[in-house]
């Protein structure tokens, strides 16, 4: 730390992204990326856009907003595009939370929420998940605080129904309810249509997972016109050109080729179910996931050891040290071939440690 670092950030512990080691070629199942590359039309759109990189991008992303608005049957002023969905989440914390408007979220959820709260000096409260790692909706009804819920939740993969999200939004009319749908396309039900009914509901989604654009950094929020206007105030006060030309072009092409991406999501969901069955057959407890990852633990091997032994064998998965989940690992669902490698390495490790 330099002697110039501001007092207000000195105690900040930053978010730790999943590791990206370069020492060998890993089967990478640790950051919930898609195993499938973007389709050729998306790559071509980004290439073409690169030819005009001397120009600033459109700060309003009008073509992309229009394309997304048609896809989700909402108005163009009900959408805001951001540099990954992390950016819109941060904007929402900045825009709607402060000393008098604290935020609540589950104790086991996306690790960035407490970081967004801390960097913006927002008081927050963590509500424990039930013993089975599900969210008890009653914990969020009438709490009279802002709320952020990942749905599907991460790293559990478990979901709430749109009815349950509606109950939460309806019972906290004077607070903003943020539903982070980063993983919704892998089999969960979206709350997007409820944004027409509840003016306090903000749904965030991303192109990173289901549309194979983690490297492009493109996310968005859908909500009432007034919520989106506030988020735009934050955007235009920090980084008006937050979406570069190549990413905007890739995003439009991705929506135009939605069948390709949604078919990949179905393949990933199938691979997820097969992998869950195989892990259960090996004695693992696997939480019921509707996302592109599984969260699993075994009585035969401790979570940290399994993570390390897989890494030694060239397979990366994600281990968290948080007490309540330290025996678990989060395993991204990849191609059928990647899942075969994972399962054969796990078998090898279990045999070796038996
Ligand atoms: N929400 C959740 C629950 C996530 O796991 C992630 C990915 N780390 C994000 C949001 C942000 O993803 P991105 O910024 O790539 O859209």
């Amino acid at each position: 730390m330099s002697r110039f670092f501001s007092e207000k950030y000195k105690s900040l512990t930053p978010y730790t992204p999943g590791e990206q080691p370069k020492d060998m070629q890993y089967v990478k199942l640790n950051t919930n990326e898609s195993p499938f590359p973007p389709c050729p039309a998306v790559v071509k759109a980004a290439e073409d856009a690169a030819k005009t990189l001397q120009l600033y991008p459109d700060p309003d992303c009008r073509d992309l907003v229009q394309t997304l608005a048609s896809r989700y049957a909402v108005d163009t002023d009900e959408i805001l595009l951001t540099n990954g969905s992390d950016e819109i989440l941060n904007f929402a914390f900045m825009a709607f939370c402060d000393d008098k408007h604290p935020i609540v979220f589950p104790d086991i959820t996306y690790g960035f929420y407490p970081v967004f709260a801390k960097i913006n000096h927002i008081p927050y409260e963590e509500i424990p998940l039930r013993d089975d790692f599900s969210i008890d909706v009653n914990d969020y009804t009438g709490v009279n605080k802002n709320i952020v819920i990942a749905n599907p939740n991460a790293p559990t993969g478990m979901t709430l129904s749109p009815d349950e999200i509606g109950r939460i939004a309806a019972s906290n009319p004077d607070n903003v309810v943020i539903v982070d749908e980063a993983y919704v396309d892998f089999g969960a039900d979206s709350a997007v249509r409820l944004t027409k009914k509840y003016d306090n509901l903000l749904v965030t989604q991303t192109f990173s997972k289901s549309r194979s654009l983690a490297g492009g950094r493109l996310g968005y929020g859908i909500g009432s016109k007034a919520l989106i206007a506030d988020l735009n105030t934050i955007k235009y006060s920090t980084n008006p050109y937050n979406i570069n030309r190549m990413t905007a072009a890739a995003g439009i092409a991705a929506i135009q080729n939605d069948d390709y991406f949604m078919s990949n999501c179905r393949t990933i969901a199938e691979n997820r179910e097969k992998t869950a069955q195989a892990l259960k057959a090996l004695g693992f407890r696997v939480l019921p996931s509707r996302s592109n990852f599984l969260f699993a633990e075994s009585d035969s091997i401790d979570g940290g050891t399994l993570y390390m032994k897989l890494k030694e064998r060239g397979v990366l998965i994600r281990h968290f040290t948080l007490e309540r989940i330290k025996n678990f690992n989060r395993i991204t669902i990849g191609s059928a071939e990647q899942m075969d490698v994972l399962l054969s390495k796990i078998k090898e490790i279990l045999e070796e440690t038996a």
Side-chain angles (χ1 to χ4, degrees):
M1 189 185 299
S2 82
R3 62 202 160 91
F4 307 107
F5 199 36
S6 167
E7 249 345 292
K8 62 180 188 274
Y9 298 127
K10 273 186 179 159
S11 63
L12 200 59
T13 311
Y15 173 72
T16 318
E19 60 188 324
Q20 311 276 7
K22 297 270 177 259
D23 56 330
M24 62 184 270
Q25 186 78 35
Y26 286 95
V27 174
K28 226 178 141 291
L29 306 175
N30 68 327
T31 45
N32 297 341
E33 290 147 325
S34 175
F36 306 113
C39 60
V42 170
V43 177
K44 170 88 173 47
E47 272 170 14
D48 287 349
K51 293 173 190 151
T52 52
L53 279 180
Q54 77 278 19
L55 303 174
Y56 280 109
D58 170 11
D60 292 329
C61 296
R62 275 165 294 193
D63 295 342
L64 177 53
V65 164
Q66 186 65 61
T67 310
L68 266 183
S70 313
R71 165 69 175 79
Y72 288 103
V74 296
D75 296 333
T76 50
D77 50 13
E78 293 171 333
I79 294 194
L80 175 65
L81 271 301
T82 52
N83 191 300
S85 56
D86 279 338
E87 189 177 46
I88 193 140
L89 289 166
N90 188 36
F91 285 176
F93 275 67
M94 289 171 79
F96 307 121
C97 306
D98 56 36
D99 275 352
K100 295 197 184 64
H101 303 92
I103 190 157
V104 299
F105 44 83
D107 63 338
I108 311 289
T109 191
Y110 184 32
F112 226 137
Y113 303 152
V115 181
F116 291 138
K118 283 181 196 148
I119 195 165
N120 295 303
H121 306 286
I122 296 160
Y124 66 91
E125 196 185 309
E126 294 174 323
I127 302 182
L129 295 178
R130 291 193 186 108
D131 287 346
D132 68 356
F133 294 99
S134 61
I135 289 175
D136 184 345
V137 176
N138 297 319
D139 288 342
Y140 295 86
T141 49
V143 289
N144 203 24
K145 290 179 184 137
N146 290 333
I147 295 168
V148 58
I149 289 179
N151 194 40
N153 195 11
T156 64
M158 292 167 72
T159 51
L160 292 178
S161 68
D163 279 356
E164 290 172 309
I165 297 292
R167 267 181 64 199
I168 294 171
S171 66
N172 294 286
D174 297 324
N175 293 97
V176 177
V177 177
I178 306 162
V179 180
D180 173 353
E181 294 189 349
Y183 300 102
V184 73
D185 293 326
F186 300 99
D189 295 321
S190 174
V192 162
R193 65 185 165 76
L194 296 181
T195 58
K196 294 277 183 198
K197 188 165 173 192
Y198 301 108
D199 68 354
N200 60 331
L201 181 63
L202 177 74
V203 175
T204 64
Q205 295 194 0
T206 180
F207 282 69
S208 293
K209 323 288 177 179
S210 56
R211 295 195 175 97
S212 304
L213 280 178
R217 311 306 301 129
L218 189 59
Y220 51 100
I222 298 179
S224 65
K225 198 174 154 177
L227 287 184
I228 295 299
D230 295 342
L231 292 164
N232 259 310
T233 300
I234 304 290
K235 166 184 147 148
Y236 278 88
S237 306
T238 49
N239 188 9
Y241 301 111
N242 59 344
I243 312 296
N244 71 70
R245 282 178 167 267
M246 292 181 294
T247 295
I252 294 169
I255 297 296
Q256 286 165 348
N257 290 273
D258 225 26
D259 290 352
Y260 166 79
F261 292 104
M262 294 306 125
S263 143
N264 285 346
C265 290
R266 285 191 293 278
T267 304
I268 289 167
E270 283 165 24
N271 293 350
R272 176 188 69 215
E273 294 315 307
K274 283 186 200 148
T275 309
Q277 289 315 319
L279 286 171
K280 284 180 193 166
L282 290 171
F284 280 80
R285 170 187 181 202
V286 185
L287 300 192
S289 169
R290 286 165 81 185
S291 59
N292 68 340
F293 53 82
L294 289 171
F295 203 47
E297 69 166 346
S298 162
D299 287 339
S300 321
I301 185 161
D302 129 275
T305 310
L306 178 63
Y307 154 78
M308 257 163 36
K309 287 188 176 288
L310 277 171
K311 187 172 175 183
E312 283 160 18
R313 288 167 169 77
V315 179
L316 275 186
I317 58 174
R318 184 94 193 243
H319 182 251
F320 301 89
T321 49
L322 209 66
E323 189 56 33
R324 215 181 145 184
I325 53 170
K326 68 178 196 306
N327 201 39
F328 279 81
N329 280 294
R330 191 194 68 192
I331 303 166
T332 301
I333 301 302
S335 63
E337 296 72 30
Q338 287 177 316
M339 295 295 101
D340 287 346
V341 174
L342 167 87
L343 290 165
S344 77
K345 300 287 178 200
I346 291 181
K347 272 184 211 151
E348 213 175 278
I349 292 165
L350 289 179
E351 277 160 22
E352 180 191 286
T353 50

